[in-house]
Amino acid sequence: MNVLVEGCAVATVDASGSEYASGHVLVEDGLITSVGPGPAPRRPENVIDGTGCLATPGLVNTHHHLYQHATRGHAQQQHLFGWLVELYPTWGRLDADLVHATTGAGLAALALSGCTTSTDHHYVFPRDGGDVFGAQVDAARAIGLRFHPCRGSMDLGVSQGGLPPDNIVETTEGALTATAEAIELFHDPSFGSMLRVAVAPCSPFSVTEDLMREAAVLARHYGVRLHTHLAETVEEEEFCRERFACTPVEYAERLGWLGPDVWFAHTVHLDGESVAALGATGTGVAHCPSSNARLGAGIAPVRDLLDAGAPVGLGVDGAASQETGQLAPELRQALYFARLRGGPAAMTARQALELGTAGGARCLGRQDELGSLEPGKLGDVALWRLDGIGHAGIADPVAALVFGPPAPLEALLVGGNPVVREGRLLTADETALARELTRVSGRLRERPA
């Protein structure tokens, strides 16, 4: 689709940090063909008046658990391990119907917060749950965001010293076979792909060493990316030191899990050597500030990671530990958390925006396609309205977006295709999505344990 956004402030988030007080973004056949000050060189039939708005790259969500939209508000005073123990039995009763409903509602929430590309880390596969992964893919296609589902897995149940109940873990071989099938069935490596699959064993305390090691081999055989939780809590570090006699990052390195094709979620508890290792290997990090705060996990050393050269993006994380399910507010949260840890000079508004755009694209290995507004890149654009009472008087539009209240989304384009206009989702009925989410959440609560 050809579409022109004009008359808006533009923050390109390119390598030079190019910005225009009044400019345009022209998308033709799905690609950005012109971005700059003043009018565009051509004027297609579809024109969006961006007066009073800021155009940025679409946001990139690097970590999520969409199924958790069915269990928001649970375990409100628990730390991570207690939260998991309380919720695992409930999650063990999910099925494809529930996952389809939560994926649709969750991606809709992300779209309405300016997100054009989202991952999801799904690792719960009940034996009688049906085609859970396929249900996710089907729901994502309807919403119209670029989707990076991560085929997760758990094979270390409580009887083997792990955390999850035995009835919701897979066998090592079964997990690897199902992961390979998901890649072969759904992964599209082409430029502009709407669907890419990653390999994602859940965490050191729910996955055996064999599965971690073999998952890395499998991912590299297929040329796909690797993802897992790492170093999220003090308890996880204690688990790794007691069970493996090393830090979480040392454990990952031992199993072949460092490199530019890997990104970890959280990495809150890192020593200096671990930060240096992630930077030296180009291993990415999905920073999830709101979830880390909700569970009391701590503050990730994002400034240190950036200075070391590690790619850092933003993640919403599961909606059971970040109930809003929105990505745009994480820009402010990341800024505030960096400053709580390192002082007011630790992060700027523009660096926070970069985390949510270019940084996320690097984590997903799509920096040549996504994350900045440049000719030749995909036409994924967020247009934020900044002329209302919430932002009036803030002369710097990027500061208004990051420091100010949540900005109304005037438009969201994915490959030039409109997904949101004037704050309204165009690809699905929001009321129907909410109704389905309410239905499956209630059904999950009512099922006998």
Side-chain angles (χ1 to χ4, degrees):
M1 183 174 179
N2 299 339
V3 59
L4 170 65
V5 181
E6 65 177 3
C8 53
V10 180
T12 68
V13 199
D14 65 11
S16 301
S18 303
E19 296 182 10
Y20 311 105
S22 179
H24 69 271
V25 181
L26 177 60
V27 179
E28 297 176 297
D29 297 325
L31 300 178
I32 298 171
T33 56
S34 178
V35 56
R42 292 173 296 283
R43 192 173 178 82
E45 181 178 348
N46 300 297
V47 177
I48 297 175
D49 180 4
T51 303
C53 298
L54 169 68
T56 71
L59 303 183
V60 179
N61 180 32
T62 59
H63 186 64
H64 210 341
H65 307 293
L66 288 161
Y67 75 90
Q68 291 181 13
H69 272 270
T71 52
R72 291 187 291 178
H74 294 233
Q76 294 177 24
Q77 279 75 48
Q78 291 281 13
H79 58 64
L80 177 65
F81 278 21
W83 177 85
L84 287 170
V85 168
E86 182 170 333
L87 284 167
Y88 272 142
T90 302
W91 294 339
R93 302 195 302 272
L94 62 81
D95 57 21
D97 174 51
L98 180 143
V99 169
H100 189 279
T102 53
T103 299
L107 290 178
L110 285 168
L112 291 165
S113 70
C115 178
T116 51
T117 298
S118 182
T119 61
D120 188 62
H121 187 186
H122 191 93
Y123 52 84
V124 180
F125 293 90
R127 292 177 180 87
D128 59 350
D131 185 5
V132 168
F133 200 85
Q136 282 205 297
V137 170
D138 183 60
R141 284 173 173 157
I143 301 300
L145 301 191
R146 299 190 197 280
F147 194 40
H148 281 239
C150 304
R151 207 297 177 176
S153 52
M154 300 188 293
D155 71 337
L156 185 66
V158 66
S159 65
Q160 297 175 275
L163 198 64
D166 289 338
N167 67 324
I168 63 170
V169 301
E170 300 174 278
T171 66
T172 304
E173 185 61 32
L176 292 168
T177 298
T179 301
E181 290 174 351
I183 296 168
E184 292 178 355
L185 198 57
F186 296 115
H187 181 66
D188 176 8
S190 66
F191 185 91
S193 170
M194 294 294 291
L195 182 64
R196 292 188 182 174
V197 177
V199 175
C202 183
S203 65
F205 49 83
S206 60
V207 173
T208 63
E209 292 182 65
D210 285 345
L211 181 52
M212 287 288 287
R213 188 180 293 106
E214 291 304 314
V217 172
L218 176 71
R220 286 164 181 145
H221 169 75
Y222 282 103
V224 302
R225 301 183 77 76
L226 282 162
H227 183 53
T228 193
H229 300 91
L230 199 77
E232 183 175 358
T233 66
V234 171
E235 290 82 8
E236 181 187 332
E237 181 169 1
E238 292 172 349
F239 178 92
C240 286
R241 288 189 181 278
E242 180 179 340
R243 191 176 181 98
F244 310 121
C246 61
T247 68
V249 170
E250 288 170 336
Y251 176 63
E253 184 173 26
R254 180 188 302 171
L255 299 177
W257 268 76
L258 296 187
D261 58 348
V262 179
W263 86 104
F264 297 128
H266 302 297
T267 66
V268 173
H269 297 278
L270 302 177
D271 58 20
E273 291 182 357
S274 296
V275 169
L278 297 183
T281 56
T283 304
V285 167
H287 178 39
C288 305
S290 288
S291 175
N292 294 156
R294 204 271 206 191
L295 295 173
I299 301 175
V302 170
R303 180 72 268 160
D304 295 342
L305 287 163
L306 292 171
D307 291 344
V312 180
L314 293 181
V316 168
D317 201 11
S321 66
Q322 204 275 47
E323 273 77 358
T324 70
Q326 298 176 345
L327 188 56
E330 297 306 291
L331 301 174
R332 185 191 309 109
Q333 293 290 77
L335 179 93
Y336 285 177
F337 273 41
R339 293 182 176 199
L340 278 172
R341 187 179 178 102
M347 183 171 291
T348 68
R350 282 160 178 79
Q351 289 167 339
L353 178 59
E354 186 174 358
L355 292 181
T357 54
R362 285 185 66 197
C363 285
L364 301 186
R366 302 195 71 170
Q367 59 269 31
D368 293 336
E369 302 173 81
L370 307 171
S372 62
L373 301 178
E374 301 179 75
K377 289 197 171 183
L378 299 172
D380 294 3
V381 184
L383 187 66
W384 312 90
R385 182 153 293 286
L386 300 177
D387 56 358
I389 193 169
H391 303 88
I394 305 178
D396 178 348
V398 176
L401 176 66
V402 176
F403 283 101
L409 193 62
E410 180 68 18
L412 188 74
L413 307 177
V414 179
N417 295 310
V419 174
V420 175
R421 280 292 276 127
E422 298 178 349
R424 184 172 62 88
L425 186 70
L426 301 181
T427 53
D429 182 336
E430 294 177 48
T431 300
L433 291 172
R435 185 168 55 246
E436 281 296 286
L437 181 56
T438 299
R439 178 183 66 82
V440 298
S441 298
R443 179 168 58 81
L444 192 63
R445 286 193 300 271
E446 292 166 5
R447 285 182 178 180

